[in-house]
Amino acid sequence: MALSHKHQTSSDSPTYRHHHHHHRGVDYKRSVTHFIFSHQLLLTLLWTFGFLLIFIWQRSAVDRVLEYRRWAIPSRPIPKLRSLVLDLRDFGAVGDGYTLNTAAFEEAIREIKRRGGGQLNVPPGNWLTAPFNLTSHMTLFLAQNAVILGIDDEKYWTLMPPLPSYGYGRECPGPRYGSLIHGQNLNDVVITGHNGTINGQGQTWWKKHREKLLKHTRGPLVQIMWSSNIKITDITLRDSPFWTIHPYDCKNVIIRNVTILTPLSDAPNTDGIDPDSCVNMIIEDSYISVGDDGIAIKSGWDQYGIAYGQPSINILIRNVTVRSTVSAGVSIGSEMSGGVSNITVENLLVWNSKRAVRIKTASGRGGYVKNITFRNITFDNVRVGIVIKTDYNEHADEGYDRNALPVIDNISFSGIRGQGVRVPVRIYGSREIPVSNITFKDLLVGISYKKKHIFQCSFVQGRVIGKIFPAPCENLDIYDDEGRLVKQATSDNSVDADYDA
């Protein structure tokens, strides 16, 4: 028995080995715990340092991948679009984002003008510049990864007289700042590229505007005036100080396959495209996300626009996606004193926006908005789908004629679809400015606000053809699909002011 007991308690026994290793494990854990607590600061620093090393390595690796994609993958070759082709670098330009290249742009464009036309290639890089002017028979081509950067110091920006149909700087009396890329009295001008970018660096401008530090109206990003045969295609425009593309009193303008971006808030008056007293224009196949109206058709302001007398006529907007949380996807007005007519908007998507389409005017504007067609329009999560507003009382000065009343006539909406819409239709004419001859057909909009008067109307005359949802207001005649009168309109001109559209 003694031998058996001694055998069971020897160091070779399983029981001894179990207890021995258990105590060694406890001692080891105590030692590690003691070390951790006694060196907590050191370990924290080492962990932080290691994390930073990993972060820096990862960021460096990402940068190397992006750099590889930018430079190692061959860029698309720039096509030769004119017989004379110039490279901005040949005029001393440096694309480092810091060197001011205004003189290089100006010298190159002078050479194009001297030789009767040509193409100026802007290669990959960040080309900082002050405003410069284009010339006729010119193509400005922005290569892949080319960025034209507008200098954000207003002392470099040219001052120009107010637009004659505005008589006022729009934001401040007196002169206005010109645009970053500008042209007057030109013919045959193309701005295009392999989706290169024109960046207005508008953040400084927006801040100074909010703080009322600017003495003059901010300038657009691209403004072409009194010109014909203009094409702007296949580029990105972003962060304009003010309106982004502003064709003024131009004929035969095509804007196609452009992307226009500014922040959705705190970027005041950064409209996307503003056709102003233009004739024969197409805007198509584009994406716009901005801090004001996506597209705003204009023709002058109050008595100045009436005197200038140049309407916007024959404008087609199609295949465009727009987002505007501050204003509307597509607007007409409010400066429409020269008149707006023969406008077609089709295949439009407006998403996550305050309003989808809007006509806005007021007493004192004069002019007219007539023969306007909206078809195949989609609203996706917008606050108000269709708006016509006749009391947009913002005037250049006190010299306007209060008896100059605009005419709103022959507006049609068909193929309208939507979801998540708070108020599908809000049309408020007035006794002085009635809305006449309006037509709705094939409207089906899912609503997100269960108020009794979803379809809001006042001083409106027109018709509904076939069934629509939601049910129309009482101001409109109801016809069936074959054009037979089903229900006569009843007058209902109360103003439901529960919602600010």
Side-chain angles (χ1 to χ4, degrees):
M1 293 295 295
L3 289 173
S4 175
H5 176 77
K6 181 178 179 180
H7 173 75
Q8 291 181 7
T9 58
S10 68
S11 59
D12 294 328
S13 70
T15 303
Y16 177 86
R17 288 198 303 270
H18 170 77
H19 287 290
H20 178 70
H21 286 297
H22 172 73
H23 287 298
R24 286 180 60 189
V26 171
D27 291 341
Y28 175 76
K29 291 179 181 178
R30 286 175 179 170
S31 298
V32 171
T33 304
H34 176 73
F35 178 84
I36 290 173
F37 279 103
S38 61
H39 297 81
Q40 188 172 9
L41 179 60
L42 176 61
L43 290 172
T44 301
L45 291 174
L46 288 172
W47 182 89
T48 303
F49 180 69
F51 176 81
L52 287 174
L53 285 176
I54 293 171
F55 176 79
I56 293 169
W57 176 83
Q58 287 179 330
R59 182 166 183 174
S60 176
V62 170
D63 290 342
R64 287 195 301 272
V65 169
L66 292 176
E67 195 69 14
Y68 174 81
R69 291 180 61 186
R70 172 175 284 191
W71 302 112
I73 297 175
S75 297
R76 297 165 63 186
I78 298 177
K80 184 177 180 180
L81 303 175
R82 304 206 186 242
S83 57
L84 172 67
V85 178
L86 304 177
D87 190 305
L88 186 64
R89 293 170 294 190
D90 293 338
F91 297 86
V94 179
D96 58 5
Y98 301 101
T99 303
L100 192 62
N101 296 293
T102 316
F105 278 104
E106 291 175 340
E107 186 179 350
I109 293 169
R110 277 196 301 269
E111 180 66 11
I112 289 173
K113 183 177 182 180
R114 185 183 72 82
R115 297 177 63 173
Q119 174 177 332
L120 176 58
N121 290 339
V122 182
N126 296 308
W127 308 93
L128 183 67
T129 181
F132 60 88
N133 293 317
L134 303 177
T135 191
S136 292
H137 310 296
M138 173 183 175
T139 294
L140 179 66
F141 195 99
L142 282 73
Q144 182 180 346
N145 300 314
V147 181
I148 296 177
L149 287 172
I151 191 166
D152 59 1
D153 187 340
E154 67 267 23
K155 73 182 181 185
Y156 288 92
W157 287 60
T158 306
L159 285 176
M160 304 181 67
L163 294 168
S165 61
Y166 286 72
Y168 188 92
R170 192 59 185 83
E171 294 179 325
C172 304
R176 61 190 177 90
Y177 290 108
S179 58
L180 177 65
I181 297 178
H182 194 80
Q184 293 184 194
N185 302 302
L186 304 181
N187 180 41
D188 179 24
V189 174
V190 178
I191 302 174
T192 189
H194 287 152
N195 200 32
T197 299
I198 302 172
N199 188 329
Q201 300 200 100
Q203 293 81 358
T204 299
W205 292 94
W206 309 331
K207 184 174 185 294
K208 288 182 177 180
H209 172 73
R210 288 193 298 268
E211 296 174 356
K212 302 188 184 303
L213 297 177
L214 295 172
K215 297 179 180 179
H216 308 286
T217 298
R218 293 164 290 154
L221 193 58
V222 177
Q223 184 179 63
I224 310 294
M225 303 172 61
W226 304 304
S227 300
S228 300
N229 303 313
I230 309 300
K231 291 184 180 179
I232 302 174
T233 69
D234 302 289
I235 60 172
T236 293
L237 305 102
R238 64 181 309 141
D239 294 342
S240 175
F242 191 57
W243 299 344
T244 304
I245 301 177
H246 185 207
Y248 180 82
D249 197 352
C250 291
K251 293 179 176 63
N252 304 330
V253 179
I254 295 174
I255 300 175
R256 176 186 296 131
N257 196 27
V258 300
T259 301
I260 301 177
L261 305 171
T262 62
L264 293 168
S265 60
D266 297 325
N269 306 109
T270 51
D271 294 7
I273 304 172
D274 287 42
D276 203 338
S277 295
C278 288
V279 178
N280 300 335
M281 184 169 176
I282 297 175
I283 301 169
E284 63 183 354
D285 303 328
S286 296
Y287 179 85
I288 303 171
S289 178
V290 289
D292 208 303
D293 290 324
I295 299 170
I297 301 172
K298 303 175 181 292
S299 63
W301 202 7
D302 290 351
Q303 72 272 29
Y304 304 105
I306 294 171
Y308 192 74
Q310 178 58 56
S312 282
I313 307 174
N314 299 339
I315 297 176
L316 171 61
I317 300 168
R318 63 186 176 190
N319 307 330
V320 176
T321 298
V322 189
R323 188 180 184 197
S324 170
T325 59
V326 172
S327 197
V330 173
S331 285
I332 298 175
S334 71
E335 308 93 333
M336 40 60 67
S337 300
V340 176
S341 67
N342 298 347
I343 310 297
T344 298
V345 181
E346 62 184 10
N347 304 335
L348 172 76
L349 167 63
V350 184
W351 68 288
N352 283 15
S353 297
K354 187 170 185 180
R355 307 173 188 92
V357 296
R358 176 165 69 159
I359 297 170
K360 47 184 177 176
T361 185
S363 300
R365 290 288 192 271
Y368 53 83
V369 176
K370 63 183 182 181
N371 304 334
I372 314 296
T373 299
F374 296 92
R375 60 173 172 248
N376 299 334
I377 312 295
T378 301
F379 313 148
D380 184 1
N381 189 29
V382 302
R383 197 168 182 186
V384 188
I386 295 166
V387 181
I388 299 179
K389 184 178 179 67
T390 59
D391 60 349
Y392 201 87
N393 290 308
E394 190 178 89
H395 301 283
D397 54 40
E398 291 301 316
Y400 69 95
D401 180 2
R402 288 159 177 78
N403 295 317
L405 302 176
V407 173
I408 303 177
D409 181 64
N410 193 23
I411 317 294
S412 70
F413 299 88
S414 63
I416 310 299
R417 296 291 182 269
Q419 63 175 358
V421 180
R422 188 177 192 271
V423 179
V425 179
R426 191 171 199 263
I427 301 177
Y428 276 4
S430 65
R431 196 175 302 279
E432 296 78 18
I433 310 172
V435 177
S436 61
N437 198 20
I438 191 165
T439 301
F440 291 94
K441 182 180 180 180
D442 187 21
L443 181 147
L444 178 60
V445 177
I447 56 178
S448 62
Y449 184 58
K450 310 296 184 182
K451 185 173 172 55
K452 181 179 179 181
H453 300 294
I454 285 297
F455 205 116
Q456 302 174 3
C457 298
S458 180
F459 295 96
V460 176
Q461 175 273 321
R463 68 199 60 78
V464 171
I465 300 174
K467 292 183 179 181
I468 66 173
F469 182 86
C473 53
E474 299 295 323
N475 306 58
L476 303 175
D477 295 329
I478 308 298
Y479 291 81
D480 64 18
D481 290 323
E482 283 70 42
R484 295 184 294 256
L485 181 64
V486 174
K487 181 182 178 183
Q488 190 85 33
T490 58
S491 178
D492 179 13
N493 291 322
S494 61
V495 176
D496 181 2
D498 71 295
Y499 179 71
D500 177 20

